[in-house]
Amino acid sequence: MTPIRLLLVEDSANDAALVTAELELAGYLPTARRVETLDGLRAALATEPWDLVLCDYRLPRFTALEALGELRARERDVPLIVLSSQLSEEQAVTLMKAGARDCFSKDRLARLGPAVARELEETRVRRERARAEEDRDILAKASELLTASLEQEARLDQLVQLVVPRVADWSAFFLQDAGRGALRLVALAHPDLERRAQAWRLDQRFPLDPRAAAGPSWVVRTGQPEFVPDVRERPEPITQDPAHQRAIDGFGLRSVVNVPLPGREGVLGVLSVGTLGERTLGPVDLALAQELARRTGLVLENARLFQEAREAVRLRDEFLTVAAHELRTPLTTLRLQLGTLLQRSDAHHLEPDVVTRLERSVRQVRRLGTLVEGLLDVSQLSSGELSLMPERFDLEELVAEVLERHQAEARAAGCELRQSARRGLWGTWDRLRVDQAVGALISNALKFGPGRPVEVDVGREGGFARIQVRDRGIGVPVDQVERIFERFGRAVSSHSYGGLGLGLYLARRAAEAHGGRAWAEPGTAEGARFTLELPLEKETRE
């Protein structure tokens, strides 16, 4: 016998009994309710779910057409079959156009069983299709929310609203709270404002017992979903506290689904959906909740990993700042001591080999100092923009000074440094930052183009001064042109060429701080060309 919830709109008790008996003969077990008035029909539709409506054509003060209107007004997908002893063909056509699923005479009740079977099957297929579309819509909107740039709590607040009231009467997210030692309610959707406020107070007053044998805590502990079609028949309570249990019972819960939010290292929390009163949840609701929880858990896990990565970067920058500050003082002292020894080499009649070693030591200490200053600049950039101290000077003269300072390094690399003819190019820039940027470009050219000449050209292009450094080295692959200007970015292995990958990054940031830019032109056969562009003053342009 197939159970069926049957609403009989019939003013004849005898006819109602005949119809019920016919259904039983057809293999159905009807739970029937008979109504005779329009108000009775409205009350029945408002309070209970029905599988089928069997309606007489004409009843006291209303007809089957008005019964169909009541179904349409409530947007209830319940098949209605009209049974009548006197029904013209024209009336039947009108009823079918109005939404009746079938019409036939009470004298032909043998048709009832097949007609009910057909309508129940078609209704099942129709409802499943509509539910699938609704689930897809909910999941699509959930994906939009999960990928939106929202704070976590705002995101969860909007997610719980998606399923209420379309799928459930209330929905909530619980997340693990290490400080509390239990789950914490973080988002809740409930149609009753007073009930919603009461739920928040309840969460504060009665934290969920982590050892509970049922409910969200059990789901977190086991990692298994919990589906309770009727909480009144739940085998295990979710709390041993009588006051807590009474408060929960006061919400009038009916069906509950609790599903875990999966994370890489365990369950992050629980998504709960539920119904109130007579409305119940089914396996399809469990499947929807699990998919929603899976997507939410993935986004929460990514957010956690992002936060951890950001914290790791912050700690790294903090370490670099402290280490650079600690290295700066002894390096300065060492550079001064070596410089003094080198200046007094003639007075002390030092051997040429010792002088050479001193010169190498000075270069290495200077290089180490440049690296330390670079680390400090990177730390400064991590916490804000690069600060500038502008002054007016001749850019070509500064470039010549930088080249002179790199002559020893160029000789060691077997490179000849060439500067274009000087004509004088004045402007207002931060001398130290420009010096560092030009030095970074030249050091880069000497490192990647050993044994070949390096050409440095200083000129103007429109409203900008341009410093171009051309080498004949290994060049820059096209796909690495931007990467080499990133922080710690490099196009080749650090084992082969050394360095921290900060020089070009600082050069570009220095140019941008002035309102200019820095870029590289790729090439593998003819080396590479790096350009530093700085804005000129108005009078200088003219």
Side-chain angles (χ1 to χ4, degrees), residues 24 57 67 95 104 120 139 166 252 329 348 375 398 415:
E24 290 174 348
Y57 175 67
L95 287 167
F104 50 86
L120 292 180
L139 292 174
R166 298 165 70 180
T329 301
H348 291 78
L375 289 176
L398 179 140
C415 296

Side-chain angles (χ1 to χ4, degrees), residues 158-179:
Q158 294 187 29
L159 280 174
V160 291
Q161 306 290 340
L162 289 178
V163 296
V164 178
R166 298 165 70 180
V167 173
D169 294 325
W170 60 269
S171 177
F173 276 112
F174 296 90
L175 292 184
Q176 301 250 37
D177 187 333

Side-chain angles (χ1 to χ4, degrees), residues 198-355:
Q198 186 181 352
W200 284 107
R201 291 194 297 270
L202 194 66
D203 180 66
Q204 291 296 318
R205 183 181 175 191
F206 298 107
L208 291 171
D209 183 358
R211 301 162 300 175
S217 294
W218 179 85
V219 171
V220 166
R221 202 170 61 251
T222 63
Q224 298 297 315
E226 181 187 52
F227 173 37
V228 186
D230 190 339
V231 297
R232 295 169 299 187
E233 300 174 0
R234 187 196 286 271
E236 297 287 346
I238 67 171
T239 176
Q240 298 298 323
D241 187 325
H244 189 189
Q245 189 61 52
R246 282 196 300 274
I248 294 174
D249 293 342
F251 283 95
L253 307 181
R254 180 64 183 273
S255 287
V256 172
V257 165
N258 294 309
V259 292
L261 302 177
R264 190 180 60 173
E265 299 176 355
V267 178
L268 303 174
V270 173
L271 167 63
S272 298
V273 296
T275 58
L276 308 168
E278 296 301 322
R279 189 180 185 185
T280 58
L281 297 174
V284 66
D285 303 304
L286 171 63
L288 173 65
Q290 286 181 300
E291 179 58 24
L292 196 55
R294 187 188 66 79
R295 299 185 185 198
T296 305
L298 182 63
V299 171
L300 293 180
E301 182 68 18
N302 288 340
R304 184 183 67 80
L305 293 174
F306 174 73
Q307 184 62 32
E308 288 180 359
R310 190 160 59 178
E311 177 63 13
V313 170
R314 187 190 67 77
L315 291 174
R316 183 199 62 184
D317 290 343
E318 188 174 298
F319 168 77
L320 291 178
T321 302
V322 173
H325 274 293
E326 291 299 318
L327 286 171
R328 178 190 258 174
T329 301
L331 274 178
T332 302
T333 304
L334 182 58
R335 186 170 62 243
L336 289 174
Q337 293 294 333
L338 290 174
T340 301
L341 284 175
L342 194 58
Q343 289 172 357
R344 298 177 180 175
S345 58
D346 291 339
H348 291 78
H349 307 292
L350 296 178
E351 295 291 333
D353 180 61
V354 175
V355 174

Side-chain angles (χ1 to χ4, degrees), residues 389-394 425-429 431 537 539-540:
M389 298 180 65
E391 60 177 296
R392 186 170 173 76
F393 60 88
D394 182 356
L425 186 55
W426 288 78
T428 301
W429 307 287
R431 189 182 188 92
E537 295 168 316
E539 59 271 23
T540 307

Side-chain angles (χ1 to χ4, degrees), residues 23-144:
L23 285 174
E24 290 174 348
L25 284 175
Y28 293 99
L29 183 60
T31 302
R33 176 177 174 182
R34 185 169 68 90
V35 297
E36 300 181 41
T37 64
L38 197 55
D39 288 341
L41 172 63
R42 289 168 179 160
L45 292 176
T47 56
E48 297 180 52
W50 301 103
D51 299 316
L52 179 69
V53 177
L54 296 179
C55 183
D56 197 355
Y57 175 67
R58 190 176 303 282
L59 296 107
R61 292 184 289 280
F62 78 108
T63 68
L65 278 174
E66 290 171 280
L68 285 167
E70 291 297 326
L71 277 178
R72 284 199 305 271
R74 287 169 172 74
E75 298 181 347
R76 299 284 294 275
D77 184 12
V78 182
L80 185 147
I81 296 176
V82 177
L83 303 174
S84 177
S85 301
Q86 298 177 344
L87 190 64
S88 68
E89 184 174 346
E90 182 180 354
Q91 290 170 328
V93 170
T94 301
L95 287 167
M96 296 295 284
K97 288 182 177 179
R101 304 300 303 176
D102 205 346
C103 302
F104 50 86
S105 171
K106 291 179 179 177
D107 298 334
R108 305 176 64 188
L109 283 182
R111 287 183 53 188
L112 184 59
V116 168
R118 182 195 66 230
E119 290 306 319
L120 292 180
E121 176 61 16
E122 289 184 0
T123 301
R124 183 189 66 78
V125 172
R126 215 167 38 244
R127 287 177 177 175
E128 287 183 355
R129 188 181 301 123
R131 177 56 192 266
E133 290 176 359
E134 188 167 54
D135 286 357
R136 281 196 295 273
D137 181 60
I138 289 174
L139 292 174
K141 289 179 178 174
S143 296
E144 290 179 12

Side-chain angles (χ1 to χ4, degrees), residues 376-388 433 505 508-515:
L376 280 173
D377 287 340
V378 168
S379 301
Q380 182 182 353
L381 284 169
S382 298
S383 58
E385 290 299 317
L386 198 64
S387 60
L388 298 179
R433 297 300 178 192
Y505 167 72
R508 170 172 281 186
R509 296 303 303 266
E512 291 173 348
H514 283 89

